[in-house]
Amino acid sequence: MKYFDELTMIEFDDYMKKTTPPVVVVPIGAVEEHGAHLPLGTDTFQPLYVIEKLAERMDILVAPPVYYGLCNSTRNFPGTISIRFETLYNLVLDILKELVRHGAKRIVVLSGHAGRPHMAALKEAAQDVVRAEPELKLMVLSDYDIVYELCGQEFEPDDGHAGDIETSRIMAIRPELVKGSGERSKPEFPPFRILAHPEKYFPSGIMGDPSAANAQKGIKLNDYVVDQLERLLSDF
Ligand SMILES: [Zn+2]
C-alpha cells in the first residue's frame, strides 16, 4: 500500500505504469456534529481507518482524502461545515478526471458520510466520468452501505447517525475522542417536509442508541467493513 502524497513523481509514475495499475481509493469524509459524545471528524476517521486496514491486505493506492461533505439535517449544529452539492460534485469530478489522466484504471470512492444528497453528488460526478471513460472501473459507496446491512440483525433496524453502530466504531478507532456514552434518540421527521431547522426534531444530534455501544462491537464492525471491501475489490 502506498499513500499517494508520500510518493515522489517518479515513484508515482512507476506505480501507475505497472501492467496492472493498483486500485486507487479516494476517501471522503465530512465535518459534522455527531452528538455530544463523538468528534466532528467521525465520518472521516472511519473510512481512513478501514482503508488503512484494507491496505494491509491488498495493494491499493490511497489518494489524499476529501475532508468535507454535504450535511443537510445536521447543518445548524455547532461545528458542521457543509459544502454545496455543486462544490462536492465539482471537486470529486476534478479529482476523478485527474486520476484517470494519470493512468488510473480502477477507482473506489469510499465515503464515511452516507447522507443521500452527499452520496448523490459523489455518484453524479462518478457517472459523468464513466460516461466519458467507459473503460474505467469506478465504484462509489459508503462504509454505511456495508454496515447498515446489519441493522435489524445485530443492531436496531433504525440505528443511524451517531447511534450504536457509529459510536461503537469510533470507540474502537479513536477511543480517546469519545466523551461519555450519548443518549438514545429516535427522531421522527414530518413526512416529505423540507425543513429549515431539522435539528428541532433531534436536538441531541443523534439518531439511534449510542448508550448500547462498545468497543468490542466496533472492532467487529470495522473488521466486517474491511472484509466486505476486500471481497468487493478482489474481482474488481
Ligand atoms: Zn457519521
Side-chain angles (χ1 to χ4, degrees), residues 78-99:
T80 297
I81 296 181
S82 180
I83 60 174
R84 286 169 298 150
F85 187 97
E86 306 78 47
T87 311
L88 184 59
Y89 166 87
N90 282 314
L91 180 59
V92 172
L93 182 76
D94 286 355
I95 293 168
L96 293 175
K97 280 184 177 174
E98 286 294 274
L99 290 172

Side-chain angles (χ1 to χ4, degrees), residues 30 32-34 38-44 46 112-114 144 148 160-163 166 170:
E32 187 188 30
E33 74 76 22
H34 276 76
L38 294 181
L40 299 168
T42 288
D43 285 354
T44 310
Q46 293 171 93
H113 181 59
Y144 280 85
Y148 282 159
H161 179 75
E166 192 157 40
I170 295 298

